[in-house]
Amino acid sequence: GAVVSQHPSWVICKSGTSVKIECRSLDFQATTMFWYRQFPKQSLMLMATSNEGSKATYEQGVEKDKFLINHASLTLSTLTVTSAHPEDSSFYICSAREAGGYQETQYFGPGTRLLVL
Amino acid sequence: GESVGLHLPTLSVQEGDNSIINCAYSNSASDYFIWYKQESGKGPQFIIDIRSNMDKRQGQRVTVLLNKTVKHLSLQIAATQPGDSAVYFCAENFSGGYQKVTFGTGTKLQVIP
C-alpha cells in the first residue's frame, strides 16, 4: 500500500527558532499534499493544501508567512514553522493524494510532534 | 455508554460486543465520506469509505451507514476487540469542489476486556 513518511517524528525547540518538517510519499507520486494540525483531544484541522510546483493554498486563519510550505517534487513537501512559539506546540500530520489515483484518497503520515519551549 | 464533556466523546464497549459510532456531517453537498481510526500518537488510518449514491457499505467487521436526509453517518464494528480501542473520525469530502477532506470531532472507543 501507499506509504507516507514524516521526519522528524518529534522535535523540541526553543521559542523563536524555526523548525522544518518533511513529508514524503515513499512508493507513489503525490501531486497534492495536505498539512494538518491536531491539538490534544481534538480533531485534525486542515492548515494548507500544497500542489507540486505551485504555491500552497492556506485555510482561513492560518498565517502563510509563519507556516511556510514547499512542494518542490512529486514525493516531498515541507512545512517550516518560523519563529515558533509555545502555542505552536502541536501534532502536525501530512497526507498525500496519489497522482492518477482516486481523487479523494488520501494517505496519511505518522505525524510529527512539535514542542516549543 | 457515551459521554460528552471537556474531552472527546467516549464510547465504552465490552469486548466481543458490537460498537456503533455516530457522526453528523455539515455539508449537504459532500458526496464522499471516510472513517479513520487514530491510535495515540499516530496518524489516521483509513477504515472504510462510502459515496453518497450508497447508503450502506460493508468491510471486514465494519459497516458504514449513510443517511443523507439527516446528514448522519455511522460506523458499526462487529465483535469489538481490544485492538479496536482508538479515536475514530468521520470525514467528508465534496468531489466537485476543492477536494479537501473535513474531519469531524472524533469519538474515543474504549474496549473493556
Side-chain angles (χ1 to χ4, degrees):
Chain A
V3 177
V4 175
S5 70
Q6 285 184 237
H7 178 80
S9 55
W10 59 271
V11 57
I12 301 173
C13 69
K14 292 182 179 180
S15 186
T17 60
S18 295
V19 175
K20 180 185 282 188
I21 302 170
E22 293 184 349
C23 176
R24 292 182 186 273
S25 56
L26 297 185
D27 49 3
F28 67 99
Q29 293 185 326
T31 49
T32 305
M33 288 184 171
F34 302 86
W35 286 97
Y36 295 83
R37 180 168 52 182
Q38 185 178 33
F39 293 107
K41 301 188 188 301
Q42 294 188 25
S43 187
L44 282 75
M45 297 301 297
L46 181 65
M47 300 174 65
T49 302
S50 85
N51 292 296
E52 185 266 337
S54 63
K55 289 184 178 180
T57 302
Y58 290 81
E59 294 300 300
Q60 191 172 10
V62 178
E63 300 176 56
K64 62 180 181 180
D65 294 330
K66 180 168 182 63
F67 299 99
L68 301 178
I69 291 172
N70 184 279
H71 191 164
S73 78
L74 285 172
T75 59
L76 173 64
S77 176
T78 60
L79 168 69
T80 301
V81 183
T82 62
S83 186
H85 292 286
E87 57 266 28
D88 297 323
S89 298
S90 188
F91 193 46
Y92 292 86
I93 305 170
C94 73
S95 70
R97 177 175 287 154
E98 185 174 5
Y102 284 112
Q103 284 191 316
E104 306 94 341
T105 304
Q106 292 186 33
Y107 303 99
F108 284 83
T112 296
R113 189 161 301 282
L114 170 64
L115 177 60
V116 184
L117 301 177
Chain B
E2 289 187 346
S3 65
V4 177
L6 296 178
H7 304 286
L8 282 170
T10 300
L11 177 65
S12 296
V13 175
Q14 203 74 34
E15 180 179 358
D17 287 351
N18 297 334
S19 304
I20 299 176
I21 301 172
N22 296 301
C23 173
Y25 63 92
S26 57
N27 186 357
S28 57
S30 293
D31 55 5
Y32 177 64
F33 305 89
I34 317 106
W35 278 101
Y36 290 97
K37 173 185 180 183
Q38 187 180 30
E39 297 175 327
S40 181
K42 298 183 179 179
Q45 175 188 354
F46 173 91
I47 300 174
I48 192 169
D49 59 0
I50 188 169
R51 298 187 186 279
S52 59
N53 60 352
M54 303 172 69
D55 53 21
K56 180 179 180 179
R57 188 161 189 232
Q58 288 185 296
Q60 187 178 16
R61 274 202 314 120
V62 294
T63 301
V64 55
L65 299 177
L66 173 63
N67 185 330
K68 295 183 289 295
T69 303
V70 294
K71 294 191 288 186
H72 183 268
L73 204 62
S74 69
L75 176 70
Q76 301 178 2
I77 304 174
T80 312
Q81 302 168 1
D84 296 326
S85 293
V87 177
Y88 290 81
F89 293 98
C90 67
E92 58 184 302
N93 181 80
F94 173 45
S95 59
Y98 191 25
Q99 294 283 353
K100 66 179 183 181
V101 171
T102 302
F103 280 78
T105 53
T107 297
K108 183 177 181 180
L109 177 65
Q110 287 182 335
V111 180
I112 303 166

Short mmCIF file of all heavy atoms in Angstrom, two decimals, chain A residues 34 36 38 41-46 48-49 51 56-59 91 93 97 102-111 113, chain B residues 6-8 31-32 34 36 38 40-46 49 51 89 93 95 98-106 108:
data_model
loop_
_atom_site.label_atom_id
_atom_site.label_comp_id
_atom_site.label_asym_id
_atom_site.label_seq_id
_atom_site.Cartn_x
_atom_site.Cartn_y
_atom_site.Cartn_z
N PHE A 34 -1.36 17.56 1.85
CA PHE A 34 -2.11 18.37 2.79
C PHE A 34 -1.38 18.39 4.14
O PHE A 34 -0.79 17.39 4.55
CB PHE A 34 -3.51 17.77 3.01
CG PHE A 34 -4.33 17.63 1.75
CD1 PHE A 34 -4.21 16.50 0.96
CD2 PHE A 34 -5.21 18.63 1.37
CE1 PHE A 34 -4.96 16.36 -0.19
CE2 PHE A 34 -5.97 18.50 0.21
CZ PHE A 34 -5.84 17.37 -0.57
N TYR A 36 -2.00 19.12 8.21
CA TYR A 36 -2.99 19.25 9.27
C TYR A 36 -2.28 19.52 10.60
O TYR A 36 -1.13 19.16 10.80
CB TYR A 36 -3.81 17.95 9.44
CG TYR A 36 -4.67 17.56 8.26
CD1 TYR A 36 -4.14 16.88 7.17
CD2 TYR A 36 -6.03 17.86 8.25
CE1 TYR A 36 -4.93 16.52 6.10
CE2 TYR A 36 -6.83 17.49 7.18
CZ TYR A 36 -6.28 16.82 6.11
OH TYR A 36 -7.06 16.46 5.05
N GLN A 38 -3.12 19.07 14.83
CA GLN A 38 -4.04 18.44 15.78
C GLN A 38 -3.58 18.74 17.20
O GLN A 38 -2.49 18.35 17.61
CB GLN A 38 -4.10 16.93 15.55
CG GLN A 38 -5.12 16.22 16.42
CD GLN A 38 -5.18 14.73 16.14
OE1 GLN A 38 -4.17 14.11 15.80
NE2 GLN A 38 -6.36 14.14 16.28
N LYS A 41 -6.70 15.86 22.15
CA LYS A 41 -8.12 15.54 22.28
C LYS A 41 -8.99 16.34 21.30
O LYS A 41 -10.18 16.52 21.54
CB LYS A 41 -8.60 15.76 23.71
CG LYS A 41 -7.85 14.92 24.74
CD LYS A 41 -8.47 15.02 26.10
CE LYS A 41 -7.61 14.33 27.15
NZ LYS A 41 -7.41 12.90 26.87
N GLN A 42 -8.40 16.76 20.22
CA GLN A 42 -9.18 17.47 19.21
C GLN A 42 -9.02 16.79 17.85
O GLN A 42 -8.22 15.87 17.68
CB GLN A 42 -8.74 18.94 19.12
CG GLN A 42 -9.05 19.74 20.38
CD GLN A 42 -8.79 21.22 20.20
OE1 GLN A 42 -8.81 21.75 19.10
NE2 GLN A 42 -8.55 21.91 21.30
N SER A 43 -9.79 17.28 16.91
CA SER A 43 -9.76 16.70 15.58
C SER A 43 -8.61 17.28 14.75
O SER A 43 -7.90 18.18 15.20
CB SER A 43 -11.09 16.96 14.89
OG SER A 43 -11.15 16.28 13.65
N LEU A 44 -8.45 16.75 13.57
CA LEU A 44 -7.45 17.29 12.65
C LEU A 44 -8.01 18.52 11.96
O LEU A 44 -9.13 18.50 11.45
CB LEU A 44 -7.09 16.26 11.57
CG LEU A 44 -6.16 15.12 11.97
CD1 LEU A 44 -6.86 14.09 12.82
CD2 LEU A 44 -5.57 14.47 10.72
N MET A 45 -7.22 19.57 11.95
CA MET A 45 -7.63 20.81 11.28
C MET A 45 -6.71 21.04 10.10
O MET A 45 -5.49 21.11 10.25
CB MET A 45 -7.55 22.00 12.25
CG MET A 45 -8.48 21.88 13.44
SD MET A 45 -10.22 21.73 12.97
CE MET A 45 -10.49 23.30 12.17
N LEU A 46 -7.30 21.17 8.93
CA LEU A 46 -6.51 21.40 7.74
C LEU A 46 -5.87 22.78 7.79
O LEU A 46 -6.55 23.78 8.04
CB LEU A 46 -7.40 21.28 6.49
CG LEU A 46 -6.70 21.49 5.15
CD1 LEU A 46 -5.67 20.38 4.90
CD2 LEU A 46 -7.73 21.52 4.02
N ALA A 48 -3.27 23.72 5.23
CA ALA A 48 -3.00 24.16 3.87
C ALA A 48 -2.93 22.97 2.93
O ALA A 48 -2.72 21.83 3.35
CB ALA A 48 -1.68 24.93 3.82
N THR A 49 -3.14 23.29 1.68
CA THR A 49 -3.04 22.31 0.60
C THR A 49 -1.90 22.73 -0.30
O THR A 49 -1.84 23.89 -0.72
CB THR A 49 -4.34 22.28 -0.21
OG1 THR A 49 -5.43 21.96 0.66
CG2 THR A 49 -4.25 21.25 -1.33
N ASN A 51 0.23 21.93 -3.83
CA ASN A 51 0.31 21.25 -5.10
C ASN A 51 1.72 21.38 -5.65
O ASN A 51 2.32 22.46 -5.59
CB ASN A 51 -0.69 21.86 -6.09
CG ASN A 51 -2.12 21.57 -5.70
OD1 ASN A 51 -2.56 20.44 -5.66
ND2 ASN A 51 -2.85 22.62 -5.35
N ALA A 56 1.16 27.08 -2.11
CA ALA A 56 0.18 26.40 -1.28
C ALA A 56 -1.06 27.27 -1.07
O ALA A 56 -0.99 28.49 -1.12
CB ALA A 56 0.81 26.06 0.07
N THR A 57 -2.17 26.62 -0.84
CA THR A 57 -3.41 27.31 -0.51
C THR A 57 -3.68 27.12 0.97
O THR A 57 -3.82 25.98 1.43
CB THR A 57 -4.58 26.74 -1.34
OG1 THR A 57 -4.27 26.87 -2.72
CG2 THR A 57 -5.86 27.50 -1.01
N TYR A 58 -3.77 28.23 1.68
CA TYR A 58 -3.92 28.17 3.13
C TYR A 58 -5.38 28.31 3.54
O TYR A 58 -6.14 29.05 2.92
CB TYR A 58 -3.09 29.28 3.79
CG TYR A 58 -1.60 29.05 3.67
CD1 TYR A 58 -0.90 29.38 2.51
CD2 TYR A 58 -0.88 28.49 4.73
CE1 TYR A 58 0.46 29.15 2.40
CE2 TYR A 58 0.48 28.27 4.64
CZ TYR A 58 1.15 28.60 3.47
OH TYR A 58 2.49 28.37 3.37
N GLU A 59 -5.73 27.63 4.61
CA GLU A 59 -7.07 27.77 5.17
C GLU A 59 -7.18 29.09 5.92
O GLU A 59 -6.18 29.69 6.33
CB GLU A 59 -7.36 26.60 6.11
CG GLU A 59 -7.43 25.26 5.41
CD GLU A 59 -8.50 25.20 4.35
OE1 GLU A 59 -9.69 25.39 4.69
OE2 GLU A 59 -8.15 24.98 3.17
N PHE A 91 0.60 18.51 17.17
CA PHE A 91 0.89 17.31 16.37
C PHE A 91 0.59 17.69 14.92
O PHE A 91 -0.54 18.04 14.59
CB PHE A 91 -0.01 16.17 16.85
CG PHE A 91 0.37 14.81 16.36
CD1 PHE A 91 1.68 14.37 16.39
CD2 PHE A 91 -0.60 13.93 15.91
CE1 PHE A 91 2.03 13.10 15.95
CE2 PHE A 91 -0.27 12.65 15.46
CZ PHE A 91 1.05 12.23 15.49
N ILE A 93 0.41 16.68 11.01
CA ILE A 93 0.23 15.48 10.20
C ILE A 93 0.09 15.88 8.74
O ILE A 93 -0.64 16.83 8.41
CB ILE A 93 -1.05 14.71 10.61
CG1 ILE A 93 -1.02 14.39 12.12
CG2 ILE A 93 -1.21 13.42 9.80
CD1 ILE A 93 -2.34 13.86 12.64
N ARG A 97 -2.07 12.80 -1.78
CA ARG A 97 -3.02 12.24 -2.73
C ARG A 97 -2.23 11.76 -3.94
O ARG A 97 -1.44 12.50 -4.51
CB ARG A 97 -4.03 13.31 -3.13
CG ARG A 97 -5.05 12.87 -4.17
CD ARG A 97 -6.06 13.98 -4.38
NE ARG A 97 -6.97 14.11 -3.27
CZ ARG A 97 -7.60 15.24 -2.95
NH1 ARG A 97 -7.40 16.32 -3.65
NH2 ARG A 97 -8.43 15.28 -1.92
N TYR A 102 -7.58 7.69 -7.23
CA TYR A 102 -8.88 8.26 -6.89
C TYR A 102 -8.64 9.63 -6.27
O TYR A 102 -7.83 9.78 -5.38
CB TYR A 102 -9.63 7.37 -5.90
CG TYR A 102 -10.21 6.14 -6.54
CD1 TYR A 102 -9.72 4.89 -6.23
CD2 TYR A 102 -11.26 6.23 -7.44
CE1 TYR A 102 -10.25 3.76 -6.79
CE2 TYR A 102 -11.80 5.10 -8.02
CZ TYR A 102 -11.29 3.86 -7.69
OH TYR A 102 -11.82 2.74 -8.26
N GLN A 103 -9.38 10.60 -6.75
CA GLN A 103 -9.11 11.97 -6.32
C GLN A 103 -9.31 12.15 -4.83
O GLN A 103 -8.71 13.01 -4.23
CB GLN A 103 -10.01 12.93 -7.10
CG GLN A 103 -9.55 13.16 -8.53
CD GLN A 103 -10.30 14.30 -9.15
OE1 GLN A 103 -11.50 14.41 -9.02
NE2 GLN A 103 -9.60 15.17 -9.85
N GLU A 104 -10.22 11.34 -4.25
CA GLU A 104 -10.49 11.56 -2.85
C GLU A 104 -9.53 10.84 -1.91
O GLU A 104 -9.49 11.13 -0.73
CB GLU A 104 -11.93 11.09 -2.52
CG GLU A 104 -12.99 11.71 -3.39
CD GLU A 104 -13.34 10.84 -4.60
OE1 GLU A 104 -12.52 9.96 -4.94
OE2 GLU A 104 -14.40 11.06 -5.19
N THR A 105 -8.78 9.89 -2.38
CA THR A 105 -7.99 9.05 -1.49
C THR A 105 -6.76 9.77 -0.99
O THR A 105 -5.95 10.25 -1.76
CB THR A 105 -7.56 7.76 -2.21
OG1 THR A 105 -8.71 7.09 -2.71
CG2 THR A 105 -6.79 6.85 -1.26
N GLN A 106 -6.66 9.88 0.34
CA GLN A 106 -5.50 10.49 0.97
C GLN A 106 -4.81 9.45 1.84
O GLN A 106 -5.47 8.70 2.54
CB GLN A 106 -5.91 11.67 1.84
CG GLN A 106 -6.43 12.87 1.09
CD GLN A 106 -6.68 14.05 2.01
OE1 GLN A 106 -5.98 14.24 3.00
NE2 GLN A 106 -7.67 14.85 1.67
N TYR A 107 -3.50 9.47 1.79
CA TYR A 107 -2.69 8.59 2.63
C TYR A 107 -1.98 9.47 3.66
O TYR A 107 -1.33 10.45 3.31
CB TYR A 107 -1.68 7.82 1.78
CG TYR A 107 -2.34 7.00 0.69
CD1 TYR A 107 -2.41 7.47 -0.61
CD2 TYR A 107 -2.89 5.77 0.98
CE1 TYR A 107 -3.02 6.73 -1.61
CE2 TYR A 107 -3.51 5.01 -0.02
CZ TYR A 107 -3.57 5.51 -1.30
OH TYR A 107 -4.19 4.77 -2.28
N PHE A 108 -2.13 9.10 4.91
CA PHE A 108 -1.63 9.94 5.99
C PHE A 108 -0.26 9.49 6.48
O PHE A 108 0.05 8.29 6.54
CB PHE A 108 -2.61 9.95 7.16
CG PHE A 108 -3.81 10.82 6.90
CD1 PHE A 108 -4.89 10.34 6.19
CD2 PHE A 108 -3.84 12.13 7.36
CE1 PHE A 108 -5.99 11.14 5.94
CE2 PHE A 108 -4.94 12.93 7.11
CZ PHE A 108 -6.02 12.45 6.40
N GLY A 109 0.53 10.47 6.87
CA GLY A 109 1.80 10.19 7.52
C GLY A 109 1.60 9.91 8.99
O GLY A 109 0.49 10.07 9.52
N PRO A 110 2.66 9.52 9.69
CA PRO A 110 2.56 9.16 11.11
C PRO A 110 2.53 10.36 12.04
O PRO A 110 2.30 10.20 13.24
CB PRO A 110 3.82 8.34 11.34
CG PRO A 110 4.80 8.88 10.34
CD PRO A 110 4.00 9.25 9.14
N GLY A 111 2.75 11.55 11.52
CA GLY A 111 2.70 12.75 12.35
C GLY A 111 4.04 13.14 12.92
O GLY A 111 4.96 12.33 13.06
N ARG A 113 5.40 15.41 16.24
CA ARG A 113 5.03 16.14 17.46
C ARG A 113 6.03 17.24 17.71
O ARG A 113 7.23 16.99 17.81
CB ARG A 113 4.98 15.19 18.66
CG ARG A 113 4.38 15.85 19.89
CD ARG A 113 3.91 14.86 20.93
NE ARG A 113 2.91 13.93 20.45
CZ ARG A 113 1.62 14.21 20.29
NH1 ARG A 113 1.16 15.43 20.56
NH2 ARG A 113 0.78 13.29 19.88
N LEU B 6 -15.66 17.95 28.41
CA LEU B 6 -14.48 18.67 28.01
C LEU B 6 -13.56 17.81 27.15
O LEU B 6 -12.66 18.32 26.52
CB LEU B 6 -13.73 19.15 29.24
CG LEU B 6 -14.49 20.18 30.10
CD1 LEU B 6 -13.68 20.55 31.33
CD2 LEU B 6 -14.82 21.42 29.30
N HIS B 7 -13.74 16.52 27.17
CA HIS B 7 -12.90 15.62 26.42
C HIS B 7 -13.69 15.09 25.23
O HIS B 7 -14.86 15.37 25.05
CB HIS B 7 -12.45 14.47 27.32
CG HIS B 7 -11.75 14.94 28.56
ND1 HIS B 7 -10.47 15.44 28.54
CD2 HIS B 7 -12.16 15.00 29.84
CE1 HIS B 7 -10.14 15.78 29.78
NE2 HIS B 7 -11.15 15.53 30.58
N LEU B 8 -12.98 14.27 24.43
CA LEU B 8 -13.64 13.63 23.31
C LEU B 8 -14.79 12.77 23.81
O LEU B 8 -14.68 12.13 24.86
CB LEU B 8 -12.66 12.73 22.58
CG LEU B 8 -11.64 13.38 21.64
CD1 LEU B 8 -10.60 12.37 21.22
CD2 LEU B 8 -12.32 14.00 20.45
N ASP B 31 -20.10 14.41 -0.95
CA ASP B 31 -20.52 13.21 -1.67
C ASP B 31 -19.59 12.01 -1.45
O ASP B 31 -19.74 10.97 -2.10
CB ASP B 31 -20.66 13.50 -3.17
CG ASP B 31 -19.40 14.09 -3.77
OD1 ASP B 31 -18.38 14.19 -3.05
OD2 ASP B 31 -19.42 14.47 -4.95
N TYR B 32 -18.66 12.18 -0.56
CA TYR B 32 -17.74 11.07 -0.27
C TYR B 32 -17.39 11.15 1.20
O TYR B 32 -17.05 12.23 1.71
CB TYR B 32 -16.51 11.19 -1.15
CG TYR B 32 -15.45 10.15 -0.91
CD1 TYR B 32 -15.69 8.80 -1.15
CD2 TYR B 32 -14.19 10.52 -0.45
CE1 TYR B 32 -14.71 7.85 -0.93
CE2 TYR B 32 -13.20 9.58 -0.23
CZ TYR B 32 -13.46 8.25 -0.47
OH TYR B 32 -12.49 7.30 -0.26
N ILE B 34 -15.51 9.20 4.71
CA ILE B 34 -14.49 8.24 5.12
C ILE B 34 -14.48 8.12 6.63
O ILE B 34 -14.68 9.11 7.34
CB ILE B 34 -13.06 8.71 4.66
CG1 ILE B 34 -13.07 9.25 3.24
CG2 ILE B 34 -12.05 7.56 4.81
CD1 ILE B 34 -12.96 10.76 3.17
N TYR B 36 -11.88 7.11 9.71
CA TYR B 36 -10.48 6.89 10.04
C TYR B 36 -10.37 6.45 11.50
O TYR B 36 -11.15 6.84 12.35
CB TYR B 36 -9.67 8.18 9.88
CG TYR B 36 -9.47 8.63 8.46
CD1 TYR B 36 -10.29 9.60 7.90
CD2 TYR B 36 -8.45 8.10 7.68
CE1 TYR B 36 -10.10 10.03 6.59
CE2 TYR B 36 -8.26 8.52 6.37
CZ TYR B 36 -9.09 9.49 5.84
OH TYR B 36 -8.89 9.91 4.55
N GLN B 38 -7.58 6.47 14.62
CA GLN B 38 -6.32 7.07 15.04
C GLN B 38 -5.93 6.55 16.40
O GLN B 38 -6.62 6.80 17.39
CB GLN B 38 -6.39 8.60 15.05
CG GLN B 38 -5.04 9.24 15.33
CD GLN B 38 -5.09 10.77 15.34
OE1 GLN B 38 -6.09 11.37 15.67
NE2 GLN B 38 -3.98 11.40 14.97
N SER B 40 -3.18 6.45 19.56
CA SER B 40 -2.46 7.50 20.27
C SER B 40 -1.07 7.74 19.66
O SER B 40 -0.29 6.81 19.50
CB SER B 40 -2.32 7.13 21.75
OG SER B 40 -1.65 8.14 22.45
N GLY B 41 -0.81 8.99 19.30
CA GLY B 41 0.50 9.35 18.78
C GLY B 41 0.76 8.95 17.35
O GLY B 41 1.90 9.04 16.88
N LYS B 42 -0.28 8.52 16.64
CA LYS B 42 -0.10 8.09 15.26
C LYS B 42 -0.99 8.88 14.31
O LYS B 42 -1.91 9.57 14.75
CB LYS B 42 -0.41 6.60 15.13
CG LYS B 42 0.51 5.70 15.94
CD LYS B 42 0.19 4.24 15.70
CE LYS B 42 1.13 3.34 16.49
NZ LYS B 42 0.81 1.90 16.27
N GLY B 43 -0.74 8.74 13.02
CA GLY B 43 -1.58 9.38 12.03
C GLY B 43 -2.86 8.59 11.81
O GLY B 43 -2.98 7.44 12.23
N PRO B 44 -3.85 9.19 11.18
CA PRO B 44 -5.11 8.49 10.90
C PRO B 44 -4.90 7.31 9.95
O PRO B 44 -4.09 7.37 9.04
CB PRO B 44 -5.98 9.56 10.25
CG PRO B 44 -5.35 10.85 10.60
CD PRO B 44 -3.89 10.58 10.72
N GLN B 45 -5.68 6.28 10.19
CA GLN B 45 -5.62 5.08 9.36
C GLN B 45 -6.98 4.87 8.71
O GLN B 45 -8.00 4.86 9.39
CB GLN B 45 -5.26 3.88 10.25
CG GLN B 45 -5.27 2.53 9.57
CD GLN B 45 -5.08 1.39 10.56
OE1 GLN B 45 -4.84 1.62 11.75
NE2 GLN B 45 -5.20 0.18 10.09
N PHE B 46 -7.00 4.73 7.40
CA PHE B 46 -8.25 4.52 6.66
C PHE B 46 -8.93 3.22 7.11
O PHE B 46 -8.29 2.19 7.25
CB PHE B 46 -7.93 4.45 5.17
CG PHE B 46 -9.10 4.07 4.29
CD1 PHE B 46 -9.92 5.04 3.76
CD2 PHE B 46 -9.35 2.74 4.00
CE1 PHE B 46 -10.98 4.70 2.95
CE2 PHE B 46 -10.42 2.39 3.19
CZ PHE B 46 -11.23 3.37 2.66
N ASP B 49 -14.83 3.61 3.39
CA ASP B 49 -15.41 4.81 2.80
C ASP B 49 -16.75 4.48 2.16
O ASP B 49 -17.12 3.32 1.99
CB ASP B 49 -14.46 5.45 1.79
CG ASP B 49 -14.08 4.51 0.64
OD1 ASP B 49 -14.57 3.34 0.62
OD2 ASP B 49 -13.28 4.91 -0.22
N ARG B 51 -19.65 6.38 -0.82
CA ARG B 51 -20.05 7.50 -1.66
C ARG B 51 -21.53 7.80 -1.43
O ARG B 51 -22.28 6.96 -0.96
CB ARG B 51 -19.77 7.18 -3.12
CG ARG B 51 -18.30 6.94 -3.40
CD ARG B 51 -17.97 6.77 -4.87
NE ARG B 51 -16.57 6.40 -5.01
CZ ARG B 51 -15.57 7.25 -4.97
NH1 ARG B 51 -15.80 8.54 -4.81
NH2 ARG B 51 -14.32 6.84 -5.09
N PHE B 89 -12.62 8.99 13.61
CA PHE B 89 -13.07 10.22 12.99
C PHE B 89 -13.84 9.91 11.71
O PHE B 89 -13.40 9.07 10.92
CB PHE B 89 -11.89 11.12 12.61
CG PHE B 89 -11.11 11.66 13.76
CD1 PHE B 89 -9.94 11.04 14.18
CD2 PHE B 89 -11.53 12.80 14.42
CE1 PHE B 89 -9.21 11.55 15.23
CE2 PHE B 89 -10.81 13.31 15.48
CZ PHE B 89 -9.65 12.69 15.89
N ASN B 93 -16.05 14.83 2.15
CA ASN B 93 -15.35 15.42 1.01
C ASN B 93 -16.38 15.79 -0.05
O ASN B 93 -17.34 15.04 -0.29
CB ASN B 93 -14.35 14.42 0.45
CG ASN B 93 -13.57 14.97 -0.72
OD1 ASN B 93 -12.61 15.71 -0.57
ND2 ASN B 93 -14.00 14.64 -1.93
N SER B 95 -16.41 16.24 -3.87
CA SER B 95 -15.54 15.99 -5.00
C SER B 95 -15.67 17.04 -6.10
O SER B 95 -14.79 17.20 -6.92
CB SER B 95 -15.82 14.60 -5.57
OG SER B 95 -17.17 14.50 -5.98
N TYR B 98 -13.34 21.77 -3.82
CA TYR B 98 -11.93 21.98 -3.54
C TYR B 98 -11.17 20.68 -3.28
O TYR B 98 -9.97 20.67 -3.19
CB TYR B 98 -11.83 22.93 -2.35
CG TYR B 98 -10.45 23.45 -2.08
CD1 TYR B 98 -9.49 23.55 -3.07
CD2 TYR B 98 -10.11 23.85 -0.80
CE1 TYR B 98 -8.23 24.03 -2.80
CE2 TYR B 98 -8.87 24.34 -0.52
CZ TYR B 98 -7.93 24.44 -1.52
OH TYR B 98 -6.69 24.92 -1.23
N GLN B 99 -11.90 19.59 -3.14
CA GLN B 99 -11.27 18.29 -2.91
C GLN B 99 -10.60 18.17 -1.56
O GLN B 99 -9.74 17.33 -1.39
CB GLN B 99 -10.23 17.98 -4.01
CG GLN B 99 -10.82 17.79 -5.39
CD GLN B 99 -11.47 16.45 -5.54
OE1 GLN B 99 -11.37 15.60 -4.67
NE2 GLN B 99 -12.18 16.24 -6.63
N LYS B 100 -10.93 18.99 -0.63
CA LYS B 100 -10.32 18.82 0.68
C LYS B 100 -11.26 18.03 1.58
O LYS B 100 -12.47 18.06 1.44
CB LYS B 100 -10.01 20.18 1.31
CG LYS B 100 -11.22 21.02 1.66
CD LYS B 100 -10.80 22.33 2.32
CE LYS B 100 -12.00 23.14 2.73
NZ LYS B 100 -11.61 24.44 3.35
N VAL B 101 -10.64 17.32 2.49
CA VAL B 101 -11.38 16.47 3.42
C VAL B 101 -11.54 17.20 4.74
O VAL B 101 -10.57 17.72 5.28
CB VAL B 101 -10.63 15.13 3.62
CG1 VAL B 101 -11.27 14.33 4.75
CG2 VAL B 101 -10.64 14.32 2.33
N THR B 102 -12.74 17.24 5.25
CA THR B 102 -13.03 17.89 6.53
C THR B 102 -13.33 16.82 7.57
O THR B 102 -14.20 15.98 7.37
CB THR B 102 -14.22 18.84 6.40
OG1 THR B 102 -13.95 19.81 5.38
CG2 THR B 102 -14.48 19.56 7.71
N PHE B 103 -12.61 16.88 8.68
CA PHE B 103 -12.76 15.88 9.73
C PHE B 103 -13.81 16.29 10.75
O PHE B 103 -13.95 17.47 11.09
CB PHE B 103 -11.42 15.68 10.46
CG PHE B 103 -10.47 14.80 9.73
CD1 PHE B 103 -9.75 15.29 8.64
CD2 PHE B 103 -10.29 13.49 10.10
CE1 PHE B 103 -8.87 14.48 7.95
CE2 PHE B 103 -9.41 12.67 9.42
CZ PHE B 103 -8.70 13.17 8.34
N GLY B 104 -14.53 15.28 11.26
CA GLY B 104 -15.44 15.50 12.37
C GLY B 104 -14.69 15.55 13.68
O GLY B 104 -13.46 15.47 13.71
N THR B 105 -15.43 15.65 14.78
CA THR B 105 -14.80 15.88 16.08
C THR B 105 -14.17 14.63 16.69
O THR B 105 -13.28 14.74 17.52
CB THR B 105 -15.83 16.43 17.08
OG1 THR B 105 -16.96 15.56 17.10
CG2 THR B 105 -16.28 17.82 16.68
N GLY B 106 -14.59 13.46 16.31
CA GLY B 106 -13.97 12.24 16.82
C GLY B 106 -14.68 11.63 18.00
O GLY B 106 -15.32 12.34 18.80
N LYS B 108 -13.87 8.57 21.01
CA LYS B 108 -12.90 7.63 21.57
C LYS B 108 -13.61 6.32 21.91
O LYS B 108 -14.61 6.33 22.64
CB LYS B 108 -12.26 8.22 22.82
CG LYS B 108 -11.19 7.35 23.45
CD LYS B 108 -10.57 8.05 24.65
CE LYS B 108 -9.48 7.20 25.27
NZ LYS B 108 -8.86 7.88 26.43
#
